[in-house]
Amino acid sequence: MDTSALRESATFDRATIRRIQQAAETGVYHIRGWGAKRPLPHFDDLLFLGASMSRYPLEGYREACGTDVVLGDRHASKPLHLDIPVTIAGMSFGALSANAKEALGRGASEAGTSTTTGDGGMTPEERGHSRHLVYQYLPSRYGMNPDDLRKADAIEVVLGQGAKPGGGGMLLGQKITERVAGMRTLPVGIDQRSPSRHPDWTGPDDLTIKIAELREITDWEKPIFVKIGASRPYYDTSLAVKAGADVVVLDGMQGGTAATQEVFIEHVGIPILAAIPMAVEALQELGVHRQVQLIVSGGIRTGADVAKALALGADAVSIGTAALIALGDNSPQFADEYEKIGSAPGFYDDFQDGRDPAGISTQDPELMARLDPIEGGRRIANYLRVLTLEAQTIARACGKSHVRNLEPEDLVALTLESAAMARVPLAGTNWIPGTEL
Amino acid sequence: MDVLEETVVDLASTPVRELNKALHEAEPGSRWRVENPRGAHNVAVGIHEDIRVTVEGHVGYFAAGMHQKGWLEIVGNAGTGLAENIMSGTVHVTGSTSQSTGATGHGGLIVVDGSTGARCGIAMKGVDIVVGGDIGHMSAFMAQAGRLVVCGDAGEALGDSIYEARIYVKGTVASLGADCIEKPMRDEHLAELGDLLAAAGRSDDPADFRRYGSARTLYHFHSHNTY
Ligand SMILES: Cc1cc2nc3c(=O)[nH]c(=O)nc-3n(C[C@H](O)[C@H](O)[C@H](O)COP(=O)(O)O)c2cc1C
């Protein structure tokens, strides 16, 4: 058969057609993991200029290029001191297996950085294997207890996530095993929904009191982070600072999730590239840029992404999806098994479904056992090292003795969109769209 | 009341931060009296020793937040989020409370002699709450476990999206929320309600109450539920 004249519709592509068919068959919307999959303006649309006649590079393998970062020294008596500006994002035990959580803790600790709990509480394995552990304080308050709060190294009040700003969480019944259910005080096997609003406060004035409460309970020791999904980052950052946050965590729309409606993932929120300059503007206007630290996430993959995020004004980045890939997610090693569940390496995003062949987003004991937490930890540490070395390589080339010294002036943009969003000039011009020439 | 040694903290002259720090370092069994709270927020939060605290006056948000042990009484009214995420122990308010009383509480007992605002017992996870008066709308929203006893009336959308918590109401219920239904009062319910009322120092007759809980139709996603 000659198929050369068959033409796929750009509007109704095959995946779209299949979604319509599935909706018609089942009456249920599509829920999946991962983050936004459509093309979006991203860090790839930016380039570093590198040193030249007017700038001195640092000697690649000789001259020091610092990577450490202090998070939360505004009000907390015990801020976090991290060796590298790449942290592991909050991913719940429940969404991830206990082995995966342990591996993340081990890897982060080896690399000198922090890891984060998630919507489901703190496990002893995770606490035990994490040198720096950030404890999430979420609307659901699953497993929330003051002992764990005091055991944490920092507290992250979660208002939203880039994959679903304004949405609550979900965890499908396949993953609500006895242990997960016990930690969340829920019946085993139900499709769990987490609320989208905190139960005991609404709005920035209440948040101010809530943050004060968390500080009071922990005797003003712990840095308090506020995590927001990128939608109105200028206002949200301003209000978080006013409410007393030590650190603002900003997650763009590419940010991963364990289970969210696809319509939410692809259509709500803004890309991290657009969000960072707005948050930085808010911090600068309030005179607290670098005093209230900014951690950004959503599609960080390489040391170039790390360097670009820092150059735009972030103090650190956070990784979720990439950490799972480093652990073995989407590995060709499991090609046959992905096929059995209707997927393939490079496409697998059914984190909600609990049948992850790599043993990461599952609570099935057999699948989980495939992930060795020690080997997993080694892989995470390796990957974090590569991200750091790559970011240092770029920073040295730009003449910076510390990655935090990267600045917007080091960047140009490849497209009009990214120039306007990142507020750096279009390559080859002095033009930043949206500003006067 | 006996005149055992009691430490008095006057919030007119002592910052809340000092009060909380002192309570965190308190000897088990010690007694405390807090005066002039004047609506301050975060009074007596994070208590984790078996101590007795009396607060003389009205308090603001999150009083007794994350209470873990011991007995705390507020002689007055309390603001939003009284005893939020309480783990165990007892918190007693002689007046009324605002919204989100006992939100996400995991255990222990909260007694409010007066009434509460909206969202009483929201997302409760094992706490017992006994309210002498009425409760506001959306109370026991997504309530997971524990028992909520209301000796007065309940506002609209009681127990919306409720999981396994049990609600007992003596007066009227303005409306039930999604998936919350009336359930029969069996002997074990009369018995547990009797115990709760007694623990709260009340003399109401369990036989005058009705019980509400989850119809469990929202436990699994399917095409006919609304989220
Ligand atoms: C499997 C998985 C589970 C997650 N669980 C949570 C969570 O419990 N709480 C939260 O705030 N964010 C959660 N997130 C979002 C991450 O914290 C982070 O914002 C996001 O993954 C960053 O984007 P990236 O995946 O592109 O690196 C989760 C993400 C993934 C992939």
Side-chain angles (χ1 to χ4, degrees):
Chain A
M1 191 175 84
D2 176 11
T3 56
S4 57
L6 295 182
R7 184 166 167 191
E8 183 170 357
S9 164
T11 308
F12 290 87
D13 60 15
R14 273 169 287 180
T16 305
I17 290 173
R18 186 65 197 121
R19 286 284 175 262
I20 295 173
Q21 292 164 340
Q22 283 171 335
E25 283 157 19
T26 63
V28 184
Y29 48 42
H30 188 56
I31 296 171
R32 66 169 172 85
W34 203 270
K37 289 194 158 181
R38 58 148 116 193
L40 289 165
H42 198 36
F43 295 119
D44 289 338
D45 301 322
L46 302 182
L47 296 172
F48 280 101
L49 291 175
S52 53
M53 194 80 90
S54 61
R55 303 278 185 286
Y56 248 47
L58 296 191
E59 203 53 72
Y61 297 97
R62 290 262 163 246
E63 286 174 304
C65 177
T67 59
D68 64 310
V69 60
V70 177
L71 299 173
D73 52 352
R74 181 158 82 133
H75 297 298
S77 64
K78 295 184 177 167
L80 280 188
H81 290 260
L82 305 182
D83 296 341
I84 62 171
V86 186
T87 67
I88 305 290
M91 295 183 274
S92 71
F93 166 69
L96 299 189
S97 67
N99 283 0
K101 288 299 280 177
E102 182 180 330
L104 293 172
R106 284 176 180 274
S109 300
E110 194 180 326
T113 190
S114 61
T115 184
T116 312
T117 66
D119 199 3
M122 183 190 286
T123 65
E125 296 98 312
E126 181 177 31
R127 174 63 279 188
H129 292 288
S130 307
R131 186 139 68 92
H132 309 282
L133 183 59
V134 182
Y135 186 39
Q136 285 201 329
Y137 188 72
L138 295 117
S140 72
R141 312 274 168 86
Y142 290 138
M144 169 65 222
N145 83 68
D147 289 329
D148 289 345
L149 200 69
R150 284 185 283 260
K151 275 184 220 152
D153 300 301
I155 300 163
E156 182 167 299
V157 179
V158 180
L159 270 80
Q161 227 179 290
K164 47 178 171 184
M170 44 173 75
L171 191 64
L172 301 190
Q174 306 88 296
K175 295 169 84 171
I176 311 282
T177 58
E178 239 167 80
R179 182 170 183 204
V180 173
M183 280 181 69
R184 299 180 189 219
T185 327
L186 287 169
V188 173
I190 66 158
D191 291 333
Q192 170 249 286
R193 41 213 152 100
S194 316
S196 57
R197 288 208 308 253
H198 280 264
D200 55 354
W201 63 271
T202 37
D205 295 327
D206 286 8
L207 177 58
T208 310
I209 307 170
K210 176 51 76 178
I211 288 178
E213 184 203 7
L214 295 170
R215 290 197 196 284
E216 286 292 327
I217 289 172
T218 54
D219 295 320
W220 291 71
E221 282 181 0
K222 324 273 179 200
I224 311 261
F225 298 11
V226 171
K227 177 173 179 174
I228 52 184
S231 56
R232 298 178 185 83
Y234 174 80
Y235 295 106
D236 288 345
T237 303
S238 306
L239 293 170
V241 170
K242 183 208 157 253
D246 295 308
V247 175
V248 174
V249 181
L250 179 64
D251 190 25
M253 76 173 282
Q254 300 96 326
T257 172
T260 300
Q261 299 91 329
E262 183 166 63
V263 70
F264 221 139
I265 299 178
E266 297 286 358
H267 299 280
V268 185
I270 64 172
I272 194 62
L273 189 68
I276 299 173
M278 300 178 94
V280 171
E281 183 183 352
L283 294 171
Q284 285 170 338
E285 279 179 10
L286 293 168
V288 294
H289 187 219
R290 306 291 182 208
Q291 285 158 44
V292 171
Q293 288 80 28
L294 177 66
I295 303 179
V296 304
S297 60
I300 302 279
R301 306 148 298 176
T302 64
D305 293 345
V306 176
K308 288 169 187 174
L310 299 186
L312 290 177
D315 295 273
V317 304
S318 210
I319 56 168
T321 305
L324 304 187
I325 297 169
L327 280 180
D329 174 60
N330 271 291
S331 161
Q333 182 191 344
F334 303 112
D336 293 349
E337 293 189 53
Y338 283 127
E339 200 185 326
K340 279 188 221 147
I341 52 175
S343 191
F347 297 92
Y348 182 68
D349 58 15
D350 289 323
F351 300 163
Q352 81 291 347
D353 165 76
R355 291 185 292 168
D356 184 352
I360 300 168
S361 59
T362 181
Q363 296 299 321
D364 178 310
E366 263 173 49
L367 294 173
M368 208 173 106
R370 294 182 184 177
L371 180 69
D372 172 6
I374 296 176
E375 168 61 10
R378 193 187 64 82
R379 296 177 61 93
I380 292 289
N382 273 344
Y383 174 59
L384 289 169
R385 267 184 219 115
V386 169
L387 289 180
T388 308
L389 288 169
E390 287 178 342
Q392 282 174 306
T393 301
I394 287 171
R396 284 199 188 90
C398 294
K400 309 296 200 254
S401 60
H402 199 289
V403 290
R404 89 166 74 87
N405 297 337
L406 287 163
E407 54 195 323
E409 201 266 336
D410 295 315
L411 292 170
V412 292
L414 280 170
T415 64
L416 278 179
E417 288 87 343
S418 56
M421 289 178 187
R423 305 184 190 177
V424 299
L426 187 65
T429 76
N430 294 320
W431 183 37
I432 303 177
T435 60
E436 296 297 319
L437 259 186
Chain B
M1 165 169 187
D2 54 271
V3 260
L4 263 181
E5 252 187 79
E6 191 177 61
T7 309
V8 177
V9 180
D10 186 353
L11 287 181
S13 53
T14 311
V16 169
R17 189 167 166 180
E18 269 176 43
L19 166 70
N20 285 327
K21 191 160 195 311
L23 293 176
H24 297 168
E25 291 163 0
E27 287 297 321
S30 59
R31 290 173 172 242
W32 298 74
R33 176 169 302 273
V34 180
E35 293 175 350
N36 296 308
R38 296 175 180 170
H41 303 307
N42 302 324
V43 169
V45 297
I47 290 180
H48 55 82
E49 282 301 347
D50 198 356
I51 58 176
R52 287 179 80 83
V53 182
T54 304
V55 181
E56 301 275 3
H58 308 310
V59 291
Y61 278 49
F62 307 133
M66 297 198 203
H67 188 75
Q68 255 176 311
K69 264 187 189 173
W71 179 90
L72 187 141
E73 182 173 65
I74 293 162
V75 183
N77 300 320
T80 294
L82 169 85
E84 63 88 11
N85 215 81
I86 179 174
M87 303 303 291
S88 75
T90 302
V91 173
H92 176 208
V93 177
T94 62
S96 289
T97 63
S98 183
Q99 300 187 54
S100 303
T101 295
T104 77
H106 280 73
L109 174 68
I110 300 173
V111 179
V112 179
D113 293 345
S115 295
T116 83
R119 300 185 177 84
C120 178
I122 182 170
M124 54 196 276
K125 296 169 170 54
V127 64
D128 292 324
I129 305 176
V130 180
V131 181
D134 307 330
I135 59 171
H137 64 268
M138 287 299 270
S139 287
F141 175 62
M142 294 182 94
Q144 296 170 229
R147 292 147 320 167
L148 171 61
V149 179
V150 185
C151 301
D153 302 331
E156 284 166 4
L158 178 69
D160 195 286
S161 306
I162 187 171
Y163 292 99
E164 296 295 303
R166 292 195 284 284
I167 308 175
Y168 298 98
V169 184
K170 186 169 165 185
T172 60
V173 173
S175 66
L176 291 173
D179 210 31
C180 185
I181 54 169
E182 186 174 346
K183 296 187 163 187
M185 270 287 213
R186 292 192 299 268
D187 288 349
E188 75 250 37
H189 302 118
L190 290 168
E192 78 166 6
L193 178 55
D195 291 346
L196 287 166
L197 289 165
R202 301 195 60 88
S203 54
D204 309 70
D205 181 355
D208 295 339
F209 287 72
R210 292 163 173 239
R211 179 169 76 101
Y212 304 89
S214 181
R216 304 187 178 97
T217 62
L218 295 180
Y219 279 17
H220 297 281
F221 294 118
H222 57 73
S223 55
H224 301 295
N225 58 36
T226 49
Y227 51 87

